[in-house]
């Protein structure tokens, strides 16, 4: 009976967090195909406008690539954690939309601000957009969020938010992602795209 309950809880968790799981699978698949090499950064990474030269696809491709295994694992754990917290409260297409649009806007801003050929890749800008969405939803629908704050996914999300800024460029693109997530989520809430939070799924 206890085992059945745990299996049911696990299935529910995976169902609500399916977008994050699918994204992680894509991250790993692409890491095998395109390991973190200089050629990968030069061909698919976001960079300054001078070097973009019309290759605007970079603002999307860079979100799915990673420098090394540690970078890949950190972002995979981060998106699974924030996805776990947000999963029961957002529609799956909204989760994907905020990740992609927040990430693209962050990389666009990064390209405008940087003045040399620094390359940026990684899912973290989209993950920070999702963290921003979580904060907007908590502020807008406080009664629906009854967190046990020592839950592993909540702790990992907080730790990721604090310690993911390992360089100046990372802090820059994370800030852009967070700002984009705030803007996008605010618009979704104000236009009733996120009307209420449904913890029942």
């Amino acid at each position: 009976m206890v085992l059945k309950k745990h299996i049911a809880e696990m299935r529910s968790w995976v169902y609500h967090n399916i977008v994050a799981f699918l994204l992680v699978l894509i991250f790993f698949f692409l890491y095998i195909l395109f390991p973190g090499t200089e050629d990968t950064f030069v061909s698919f990474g976001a960079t300054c406008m001078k070097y973009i030269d019309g290759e605007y696809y970079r603002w999307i491709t860079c979100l799915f690539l990673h420098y090394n295994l540690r970078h890949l694992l950190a972002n995979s754990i981060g998106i699974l954690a924030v996805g776990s917290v947000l999963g029961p409260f957002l529609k799956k297409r909204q989760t994907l939309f905020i990740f992609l649009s927040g990430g693209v806007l962050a990389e666009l801003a990064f390209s405008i601000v940087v003045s040399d050929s620094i390359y940026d890749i990684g899912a973290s800008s989209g993950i920070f957009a999702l963290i921003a969405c979580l904060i907007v939803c908590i502020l807008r629908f406080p009664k629906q969020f009854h967190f046990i704050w020592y839950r592993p996914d909540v702790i990992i999300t907080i730790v990721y938010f604090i310690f993911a800024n390992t360089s100046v460029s990372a802090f820059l693109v994370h800030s852009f992602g967070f700002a984009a997530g705030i803007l996008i989520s605010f618009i979704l809430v104000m236009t009733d795209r996120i009307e209420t939070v449904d913890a029942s799924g």
Side-chain angles (χ1 to χ4, degrees):
M1 191 71 177
V2 175
L3 181 60
K4 276 189 174 182
K5 181 182 177 184
H6 286 310
I7 292 173
E9 289 174 351
M10 180 62 70
R11 289 178 63 183
S12 176
W13 180 68
V14 171
Y15 171 76
H16 287 305
N17 205 14
I18 193 66
V19 170
F21 273 100
L22 291 176
L23 286 172
V24 167
L25 287 176
I26 293 171
F27 298 160
F28 273 88
F29 177 72
L30 290 177
Y31 183 75
I32 293 169
L33 287 181
F34 304 102
T37 63
E38 187 66 26
D39 289 342
T40 301
F41 309 154
V42 170
S43 300
F44 301 106
T47 184
C48 63
M49 281 294 189
K50 176 182 176 181
Y51 291 94
I52 285 283
D53 193 27
E55 297 174 341
Y56 304 123
Y57 64 83
R58 291 168 175 271
W59 297 330
I60 297 177
T61 57
C62 70
L63 299 177
F64 295 90
L65 302 171
H66 293 86
Y67 291 109
N68 51 47
L69 188 58
R70 184 178 68 174
H71 188 208
L72 171 64
L73 290 174
N75 279 343
S76 296
I77 293 170
I79 198 168
L80 286 172
V82 70
S84 176
V85 181
L86 267 176
F89 307 110
L90 276 188
K91 295 174 182 175
K92 294 170 183 59
R93 64 177 179 271
Q94 291 173 331
T95 302
L96 184 61
F97 174 73
I98 292 168
F99 170 79
L100 290 175
S101 58
V104 167
L105 287 174
E107 300 300 341
L108 167 60
F110 177 84
S111 294
I112 293 171
V113 169
V114 297
S115 58
D116 54 32
S117 59
I118 294 173
Y119 290 95
D120 182 68
I121 62 173
S124 53
S125 54
I127 298 171
F128 268 76
L130 288 172
I131 294 174
C133 176
L134 175 61
I135 293 172
V136 169
C137 287
I138 290 173
L139 293 175
R140 179 64 181 86
F141 309 109
K143 293 181 180 178
Q144 282 86 355
F145 284 84
H146 303 293
F147 289 142
I148 300 173
W149 290 101
Y150 54 82
R151 257 174 47 180
D153 53 356
V154 176
I155 292 174
I156 291 170
T157 299
I158 294 170
V159 169
Y160 181 89
F161 180 78
I162 296 171
F163 292 104
N165 299 299
T166 54
S167 67
V168 174
S169 60
F171 176 77
L172 189 65
V173 79
H174 294 168
S175 299
F176 290 145
F178 188 81
I182 291 286
L183 176 63
I184 295 164
S185 303
F186 180 77
I187 292 172
L188 289 175
V189 167
M190 290 299 101
T191 57
D192 295 330
R193 301 294 178 181
I194 304 177
E195 296 183 273
T196 187
V197 190
D198 181 13
S200 67

